[in-house]
Amino acid sequence: MAEPRVPGSERADVELPCGETVAVHDLDMGLREYDCDCGDAHAVVMDVHPLGRFVPEFLVEVLTESIETADEFPEFTTAHVMGIVMEEFPEAVVSEDLSEQGEVGYSMLWLTDFDARRLHEVVVELVVELMDHAVSHADDDAATAQFEEWLHEFDVSEFVDQYREEREFETEHDSAV
């Protein structure tokens, strides 16, 4: 007997940065890290994952209000952050457009050579660089000086540790992992 399928559905595999493959159907929306046969863990990011996975909601609000986008997304999202990560680390990120795979529940998928914690640090570092660049164009010398002072005191690793601890809830599907 034939196995029932969603029309147009196919079993799709994605090649990881390490060269191994994974079936997209094995990557559910709650998964933040994939333990690979190569022995490493790869961060998993989907377009449905909120930007709050990486930074606090107040910062998400600032980013979405401040950054204009010129694409199909009406505001700055996780997709934009992952685009920045891909630009900085092209060999370490694989992306896949799965918009034709309606049964998976997401449209865009990114898998990284980094584990979820290291990706979190990379995202925070890049967001801070983005903010630093924006502040450097401000006409307010006091704000620029204040930001530079804050930047010298900011410890990305410590921030990520604290944020991940605060965001850790009861199950793997509720965490910022």
Side-chain angles (χ1 to χ4, degrees):
M1 183 167 142
E3 184 178 324
R5 298 172 65 117
V6 174
S9 70
E10 298 176 16
R11 182 149 177 95
D13 289 341
V14 176
E15 187 172 336
L16 295 157
C18 66
E20 295 286 335
T21 59
V22 61
V24 295
H25 294 88
D26 292 342
L27 304 172
D28 67 69
M29 290 186 288
L31 189 65
R32 302 296 188 257
E33 192 168 84
Y34 175 74
D35 292 322
C36 184
D37 290 340
C38 75
D40 290 336
H42 301 284
V44 177
V45 181
M46 299 164 187
D47 60 332
V48 296
H49 291 166
L51 197 49
R53 168 181 174 178
F54 300 109
V55 295
E57 290 302 322
F58 79 87
L59 187 53
V60 170
E61 290 176 22
V62 169
L63 293 169
T64 57
E65 289 174 11
S66 305
I67 299 174
E68 292 182 23
T69 60
D71 54 27
E72 68 272 12
F73 298 100
E75 59 187 27
F76 190 75
T77 66
T78 300
H80 296 99
V81 165
M82 291 308 298
I84 296 168
V85 173
M86 287 179 65
E87 191 173 301
E88 291 294 317
F89 301 95
E91 301 299 319
V93 182
V94 171
S95 67
E96 193 74 28
D97 181 349
L98 298 167
S99 55
E100 299 296 320
Q101 296 278 333
E103 71 277 5
V104 295
Y106 50 90
S107 295
M108 287 299 299
L109 171 68
W110 296 270
L111 298 157
T112 72
D113 216 15
F114 314 120
D115 64 13
R117 187 185 189 297
R118 177 64 186 132
L119 174 63
H120 196 160
E121 287 180 343
V122 166
V123 167
V124 171
E125 289 167 357
L126 293 172
V127 167
V128 167
E129 283 181 27
L130 183 67
M131 293 167 55
D132 186 36
H133 178 76
V135 168
S136 73
H137 291 288
D139 291 332
D140 185 342
D141 291 338
T144 302
Q146 184 178 15
F147 184 81
E148 291 298 325
E149 181 180 322
W150 171 82
L151 195 57
H152 285 31
E153 296 173 11
F154 186 69
D155 183 323
V156 171
S157 184
E158 183 178 326
F159 168 82
V160 168
D161 285 342
Q162 289 177 3
Y163 191 69
R164 291 170 74 84
E165 186 176 311
E166 288 174 19
R167 293 289 307 232
E168 189 68 46
F169 298 112
E170 294 179 18
T171 71
E172 69 182 46
H173 302 291
D174 294 329
S175 71
V177 178

